[in-house]
Amino acid sequence: MSEAPVPFLDLPALHGPLYPEFEAAYATVLRHGKFINGPEVTAFESEFAAYCENVHAVGVGNGTDALELILLGLGIGPGDEVIIPANTFIATAEAALYVGARPRFVDVLPDTLLIDPAAVEAAVNEKTAAVVGVHLFGQMCDTEALAAIAAKHGIALVEDAAQAHGARFAGKRAGSVGVASGFSFYPGKNLGALGDAGGVVTGDADLADRIRRTGDHGRSADSRFHHNLVGRNSRMDSVQAAALSIKLRGLDTANAGRVRAWEQYKVELPDTVRLVARDPRAEAVYHLCVVEVENRDKVCQALTEAGVGWGLHYKTPCHVDEAYTEYRESLPVVEAAADRILSLPMSPTISESQVSRVCEVLRDVTGGSSG
Ligand SMILES: *Cc1c(COP(=O)(O)O)cnc(C)c1O
């Protein structure tokens, strides 16, 4: 094929115009020398908390740490169960296991592939300490239903917002609904750093303080020579915070580019390719453009041959993955979807002709007609 390749995610295109700003930020940090938890971290924390329409943000090492520190900060541990959708990145399950809790996997809704509130309600028992509402593919899960279930049973609602910076559900921003929310700033996320970084957003000042101190070796608030809780090391680098502040200014524009591409996919995808649905109450930011197809191997091969990037989110649901056999159970919706899902190219800067090109390749390989 003669057409130019379509990358799965085009970070150089997003970052190109920002190189001078990034370079200036690196130079500033190099010269002041406060490489970790420097002034750039404090500034980004307050900007990001405000962006999430919440009060506190704590910069941490990565998104997995953010979730783990939230569960630790809530006092969740051995003997507790944490309800998690089986359709998520494996990190959500790791966070529960690393604090010593048991992940209780539940099924997802067939149209959105997001956590099914009825399944959550059915899974709650006397050991349940929290439910993690995962906002997958850029769409928030039904936080109205989950908040009601959490309140009814006295369990914590934690948001895994790693794929949903800027998304809304029923008007509320990702990061503003749960008792605390974990964000990843992995480079490929909607708001990505230039390396690993993560953040916790919460309205609870005590929880924010506990998480901050836990991630800084358990130092007491009044003396850096005294440790009044057993901590660990999970902090944000100043250069990452500086890069995140620069990119936060363009986040709404970047998300709008993703929304435009998704709307075009919706129009141009052939009828043989089903877009994962959007709940009418959700304002999604399309971290990924996930579709369902028959004969996925054949479709992937055709995309590869045409130079079109693709991904699988997620090929193996958490509850059937090799390291998690102990938690295996039957979850039919996610198991059926796992063989059909396919992630198409999605970037803030993806062009109209690139989306058309992807749809054309899919039309040819699936024998479908335009939507
Ligand atoms: C990326 C991601 C995480 C983990 O974030 P890291 O920064 O890679 O540790 C957690 N949950 C979900 C849903 C993610 O997509």
Side-chain angles (χ1 to χ4, degrees):
M1 304 247 177
S2 58
E3 271 93 347
V6 183
F8 181 66
L9 170 66
D10 196 348
L11 282 181
L14 180 67
H15 289 163
L18 303 173
Y19 289 160
E21 278 184 87
F22 289 152
E23 283 161 7
Y26 268 82
T28 300
V29 175
L30 183 61
R31 279 160 182 75
H32 72 48
K34 297 186 187 82
F35 295 106
I36 297 167
N37 278 350
E40 291 79 8
V41 176
T42 310
F44 173 69
E45 285 173 341
S46 58
E47 292 160 15
F48 192 65
Y51 181 82
C52 294
E53 301 175 0
N54 208 329
V55 192
H56 307 282
V58 181
V60 299
N62 56 67
T64 313
D65 282 0
L67 293 169
E68 191 181 322
L69 288 164
I70 289 169
L71 297 177
L72 262 181
L74 292 170
I76 295 171
D80 293 327
E81 281 188 12
V82 177
I83 298 175
I84 291 169
N87 189 33
T88 182
F89 182 52
I90 203 73
T92 320
E94 290 170 339
L97 281 159
Y98 268 81
V99 302
R102 183 183 175 89
R104 176 71 195 270
F105 295 111
V106 297
D107 215 341
V108 294
L109 295 164
D111 52 351
T112 60
L113 303 181
L114 298 173
I115 190 166
D116 179 354
V120 173
E121 177 77 62
V124 173
N125 63 63
E126 65 285 351
K127 291 182 176 164
T128 309
V131 54
V132 184
V134 181
H135 307 322
L136 216 53
F137 312 149
Q139 174 169 205
M140 283 178 72
C141 62
D142 186 347
T143 40
E144 278 189 330
L146 293 186
I149 293 166
K152 176 178 157 197
H153 296 285
I155 62 175
L157 170 59
V158 174
E159 295 176 64
D160 180 342
Q163 300 188 6
H165 319 70
R168 290 183 190 275
F169 189 89
K172 291 192 179 150
R173 265 263 152 93
S176 72
V177 185
V179 54
S181 304
F183 285 86
S184 168
F185 304 118
Y186 175 80
K189 304 286 163 108
N190 288 48
L191 179 60
L194 306 177
D196 271 318
V200 172
V201 172
T202 179
D204 181 334
D206 291 338
L207 181 62
D209 178 61
R210 216 150 51 238
I211 287 171
R212 182 184 299 288
R213 289 191 297 112
T214 303
D216 193 21
H217 297 293
R219 284 194 174 111
S220 72
D222 44 8
S223 163
R224 58 178 286 111
F225 305 111
H226 173 215
H227 307 91
N228 54 5
L229 50 84
V230 178
R232 40 172 296 196
N233 178 2
S234 186
R235 303 174 294 212
M236 188 180 274
D237 288 344
S238 305
V239 285
Q240 300 306 344
L244 286 166
S245 285
I246 291 165
K247 286 185 72 180
L248 182 60
R249 297 197 275 277
L251 178 59
D252 287 341
T253 305
N255 282 342
R258 294 172 180 272
V259 171
R260 252 192 326 273
W262 189 86
E263 297 288 350
Q264 191 190 342
Y265 273 123
K266 195 174 165 189
V267 172
E268 293 186 18
L269 279 173
D271 54 6
T272 41
V273 175
R274 185 186 85 83
L275 254 184
V276 166
R278 186 180 57 79
D279 186 304
R281 292 168 292 174
E283 288 171 52
V285 293
Y286 303 107
H287 174 60
L288 296 166
C289 179
V290 179
V291 298
E292 291 187 59
V293 293
E294 308 287 343
N295 300 318
R296 185 177 63 198
D297 289 348
K298 185 176 145 205
V299 174
C300 291
Q301 194 190 333
L303 291 171
T304 300
E305 280 165 11
V308 173
W310 52 272
L312 301 177
H313 302 85
Y314 292 90
K315 187 172 196 287
T316 310
C318 298
H319 71 297
V320 292
D321 217 339
E322 193 183 338
Y324 295 80
T325 46
E326 199 183 320
Y327 311 100
R328 198 164 283 183
E329 58 185 301
S330 170
L331 299 173
V333 178
V334 66
E335 285 163 31
D339 296 329
R340 301 165 50 86
I341 46 96
L342 170 66
S343 306
L344 302 178
M346 176 53 86
S347 299
T349 57
I350 191 170
S351 70
E352 227 178 288
S353 60
Q354 286 177 313
V355 172
S356 294
R357 169 90 184 114
V358 177
C359 294
E360 180 188 296
V361 175
L362 289 169
R363 202 151 48 232
D364 290 346
V365 63
T366 62
S369 46
S370 299

